[in-house]
Amino acid sequence: MRKLAPLALVAFALTPISSPAAAEPAAPEFLSRPATDEVIYFLLPDRFENGDKSNDRGHLKGNRLHTGFDPTAKGFFNGGDFKGVLQHLDYIQSLGATAVWLAPVFKNKPVQGDPGHESAGYHGYWITDFSHVDLHFGTDAEFKQLVDAVHARGLKFYMDIVVNHTADVIKYKECPKQMDCPYRPPANYPYTRQGGLHGAPINDGFLGDGVQTEVNFSRLTNPNYAYTVTIPKGEEHVKGPDWLNNPLYYHNRGNTTFDGESATRGDFVGLDDIMTEDPRVVKGMIDIFGGWIDKYGVDGFRIDTARFVNPEFMQAFVPAMLARARAKGIANFHIFGENISGVDGAQSLQALHTRVDKQPAVLDFAFAVAVKNTLAGDHGTIELAKLFEDDPLYEGGEATALTLPTFISNHDAGRFAWYARTAFPGASDAEILKRVTLAHAMMFTLRGVPTVYYGDEQGFAGIGNDMSARADMFASKVKEYNDTPLVGTTHTPATSSFATDHPLYLAIRELARLRAGNLALRRGRQIVRAASDQPGLFAVSRIDPATGREILIAYNTATVPIEAEVEIDPASHDFVNLHGMCAATPDAPGSYHVALKPLDYVICAARP
């Protein structure tokens, strides 16, 4: 069950040292692995495994509105923790993952929301203390134990970080309910007037958040330009480090509309939006997250809500993190921003953030949209071709595109199986299984870094996005999760879901093995060979950067068989099967025959 290529089972280098007094220990081999070579496994620790029931309530007392714990509710802590992840590292590695990405682990506000609409910070995005982990997940020492155990297996550890906002602590006097606070722009509520154009003069000499100098921001002394800021009694020092408790370090303009100027200045669904234009905030955030690199030696950051942060912040923050990582001996530190978009053509929006914000890579929402439209929809495969045509738009071009984490499911957008079932309500479970398998094949063999969302390998589907896409891997008590049929099995989440013989687990493991064993599938230039304005054939070649060897991958998104001639390099000949049945030779130089079953794929490699 653990036959993986050597890349997926890298261990610490144990090179003999002839002169222990003079030589330094050899660096772990995984540190030399580039981002392109990873297979990422993304999980929410609260939903993965409950390894320690003593921390279920975060060592808090009271009912669920105080502790955040309710294992029967999808919007509250269900009980997973670091010890639970530690228990299943063999499961993750056997799947073929080489990097483990956890949702935020920082201390969260246990519960927030207007009365009657409360939910818990089980997901990790309502941070109060950026200096320590949340006790629902474990202790700082247990987090270090987990990171060290991941590294000991030759795997990398990625953290999910948040720089855009904190938990909802700051309240506005004018809004009885936080969600009723509309965005108030500087044009109508300038920084230099209290509560609007005709308010009393305040913040004399402040030139606005566009002048990002310490001298200018020292003149911002009153936060009440748009709303009257209040802090609930007892929460005056709930955030850490303590500087984050100062309301001057927040925009305080009400809820973002997610467009225009409000995208970077507005509160994200009521969360306190940090004034990332302030140089003091930039320095503070660099200190916070640089400290996590220094202390734990983590290997990468996914930056949450990155598109809602001003570009100047990213232009300073990213180089500082890369420098901090290099000083720790982490040469291939992987940073990718979440610039969420569910629209067609999202690749141009994503590329903008690599050019303007200087984000090294971005989470590839455009890929997820294209796969959903073509395989969990009725769009032609030309949409995939158009997606990749835009790869040169990224800063660094196609080389950067190779480092983008690609995904088909996630905790916000929902699971691919849900989209497939919604698009094809009359489809059999066997057909949905084929669609989910083929979607994973695309993710593993097309350009980018495949990112498996926990539970997909067990056939998790859900009935929506957000909370509905966050089922428990351990025996769940949430009725919605247990009542939603899984794909490819009669099993339900009412009992533990870590089967290593599930057809999707086996398919993903095989894809990971193929990717690990073929450089072309990890770092190879991609050439689109065939596409259609209808569901059906899509084909690409991946070229081995070391040998020039061509690997042809052909996919069939239709429910009928396909036979076609596909263009290849005229120098490619004598093909072998990597997956499916491949013709031994081209029909003519430059022309190769493929035969595809419905919703299936083949991987055919020319001999070196």
Side-chain angles (χ1 to χ4, degrees):
M1 301 297 290
R2 299 189 61 200
K3 291 183 179 179
L4 299 179
L7 176 66
L9 293 176
V10 175
F12 279 114
L14 299 175
T15 306
I17 300 174
S18 58
S19 177
E24 295 182 359
E29 290 183 21
F30 68 84
L31 289 176
S32 64
R33 200 165 61 229
T36 54
D37 289 7
E38 308 301 342
V39 172
I40 304 171
Y41 188 84
F42 170 46
L43 63 90
L44 279 66
D46 180 65
R47 302 303 164 93
F48 195 65
E49 178 63 280
N50 191 343
D52 183 357
K53 294 184 182 299
S54 71
N55 61 29
D56 286 355
R57 292 172 173 78
H59 303 287
L60 301 171
K61 295 181 179 181
N63 62 23
R64 73 175 195 162
L65 295 183
H66 291 89
T67 68
F69 177 67
D70 183 350
T72 69
K74 64 181 181 180
F76 284 76
F77 284 97
N78 285 180
D81 47 41
F82 299 141
K83 286 186 177 179
V85 180
L86 187 64
Q87 290 173 7
H88 291 289
L89 289 182
D90 190 64
Y91 167 90
I92 294 171
Q93 188 169 26
S94 294
L95 182 66
T98 64
V100 183
W101 160 22
L102 266 62
V105 299
F106 313 100
K107 184 177 180 181
N108 269 232
K109 191 172 186 177
V111 177
Q112 65 180 41
D114 292 328
H117 299 279
E118 301 93 345
S119 61
Y122 69 93
H123 41 66
Y125 294 101
W126 297 344
I127 303 168
T128 53
D129 190 346
F130 289 80
S131 305
H132 299 284
V133 302
D134 195 293
L135 293 177
H136 287 87
F137 303 144
T139 64
D140 290 352
E142 288 169 342
F143 178 70
K144 186 177 189 306
Q145 181 185 17
L146 174 60
V147 175
D148 289 348
V150 167
H151 285 161
R153 289 172 169 266
L155 307 177
K156 292 183 180 179
F157 191 99
Y158 291 172
M159 291 185 72
D160 205 319
I161 68 169
V162 184
V163 297
N164 178 64
H165 57 261
T166 71
D168 176 17
V169 174
I170 296 174
K171 306 299 180 184
Y172 305 136
K173 186 177 180 180
E174 294 81 359
C175 303
K177 293 184 178 180
Q178 192 73 359
M179 294 309 299
D180 293 339
C181 288
Y183 178 74
R184 291 183 169 180
N188 302 98
Y189 295 87
Y191 289 104
T192 52
R193 293 291 185 272
Q194 184 166 340
L197 293 172
H198 304 295
I202 58 174
N203 302 319
D204 184 40
F206 182 62
L207 300 177
D209 56 29
V211 181
Q212 296 168 15
T213 65
E214 289 192 22
V215 170
N216 184 48
F217 273 89
S218 70
R219 300 180 183 124
L220 183 66
T221 59
N222 189 327
N224 299 312
Y225 35 82
Y227 286 100
T228 305
V229 170
T230 64
I231 306 295
K233 186 176 181 180
E235 295 189 340
E236 295 87 350
H237 295 282
V238 73
K239 296 179 184 179
D242 191 59
W243 64 266
L244 282 164
N245 293 294
N246 188 339
L248 288 171
Y249 294 135
Y250 299 85
H251 287 109
N252 305 313
R253 290 193 171 276
N255 291 315
T256 179
T257 65
F258 303 103
D259 291 311
E261 68 177 56
S262 83
T264 57
R265 288 168 167 160
D267 295 342
F268 189 94
V269 196
L271 299 170
D272 300 348
D273 198 69
I274 300 172
M275 181 83 79
T276 46
E277 295 87 353
D278 190 330
R280 297 167 296 186
V281 170
V282 177
K283 181 180 183 301
M285 287 297 179
I286 288 172
D287 288 345
I288 287 171
F289 293 110
W292 286 86
I293 297 173
D294 293 345
K295 188 173 182 179
Y296 299 102
V298 297
D299 306 285
F301 287 156
R302 178 265 198 182
I303 305 179
D304 177 71
T305 51
R307 67 168 283 207
F308 302 120
V309 178
N310 59 299
E312 298 87 352
F313 175 89
M314 289 295 178
Q315 291 163 10
F317 180 79
V318 168
M321 293 302 97
L322 294 174
R324 203 73 163 254
R326 285 193 298 270
K328 186 73 174 178
I330 308 169
N332 295 309
F333 196 80
H334 198 185
I335 295 179
F336 48 100
E338 183 213 24
N339 304 284
I340 188 168
S341 177
V343 300
D344 296 346
Q347 55 268 36
S348 62
L349 300 177
Q350 293 179 172
L352 181 70
H353 291 288
T354 66
R355 289 193 172 273
V356 177
D357 301 12
K358 302 303 180 184
Q359 295 176 31
V362 294
L363 194 60
D364 200 348
F365 280 87
F367 177 91
V369 170
V371 174
K372 174 175 69 73
N373 287 347
T374 56
L375 196 49
D378 59 1
H379 291 212
T381 58
I382 192 69
E383 184 165 337
L384 290 163
K386 291 178 179 178
L387 166 74
F388 300 122
E389 283 178 359
D390 285 342
D391 280 355
L393 294 177
Y394 293 99
E395 184 74 19
E398 293 178 354
T400 294
L402 289 172
T403 70
L404 307 184
T406 52
F407 68 96
I408 58 172
S409 305
N410 81 359
H411 58 319
D412 292 324
R415 297 186 184 271
F416 179 84
W418 168 57
Y419 287 108
R421 281 179 170 170
T422 302
F424 304 101
S428 65
D429 183 67
E431 178 180 327
I432 298 300
L433 177 61
K434 287 181 179 180
R435 290 184 182 277
V436 176
T437 303
L438 184 55
H440 278 94
M442 288 182 171
M443 185 172 71
F444 271 82
T445 55
L446 294 169
R447 70 98 179 102
V449 183
T451 304
V452 178
Y453 182 44
Y454 87 97
D456 269 15
E457 76 280 5
Q458 295 296 325
F460 282 22
I463 56 171
N465 57 8
D466 196 70
M467 297 178 190
S468 293
R470 302 170 183 176
D472 303 314
M473 290 280 279
F474 56 94
S476 182
K477 297 180 181 179
V478 178
K479 187 176 187 301
E480 178 186 306
Y481 297 157
N482 295 340
D483 289 349
T484 303
L486 305 186
V487 175
T489 179
T490 58
H491 175 80
T492 77
T495 56
S496 184
S497 300
F498 291 95
T500 55
D501 60 352
H502 189 288
L504 284 168
Y505 186 97
L506 295 174
I508 293 170
R509 188 178 65 182
E510 175 65 10
L511 286 163
R513 184 191 68 79
L514 287 172
R515 191 172 187 277
N518 291 277
L519 187 65
L521 298 181
R522 306 194 306 275
R523 307 181 205 173
R525 181 169 60 94
Q526 178 173 288
I527 305 169
V528 174
R529 295 297 194 185
S532 170
D533 60 1
Q534 299 294 321
L537 178 65
F538 183 66
V540 302
S541 291
R542 302 293 303 274
I543 309 302
D544 189 309
T547 65
R549 181 194 192 195
E550 179 175 12
I551 295 180
L552 179 72
I553 311 110
Y555 318 86
N556 181 5
T557 67
T559 54
V560 295
I562 287 177
E563 292 196 33
E565 299 296 327
V566 176
E567 181 182 3
I568 57 171
D569 188 324
S572 294
H573 55 84
D574 296 331
F575 282 78
V576 296
N577 309 329
L578 294 184
H579 177 86
M581 296 302 295
C582 299
T585 58
D587 287 349
S591 181
Y592 188 79
H593 184 80
V594 294
L596 293 160
K597 298 176 183 177
L599 301 173
D600 203 359
Y601 66 101
V602 295
I603 307 176
C604 308
R607 293 188 183 277

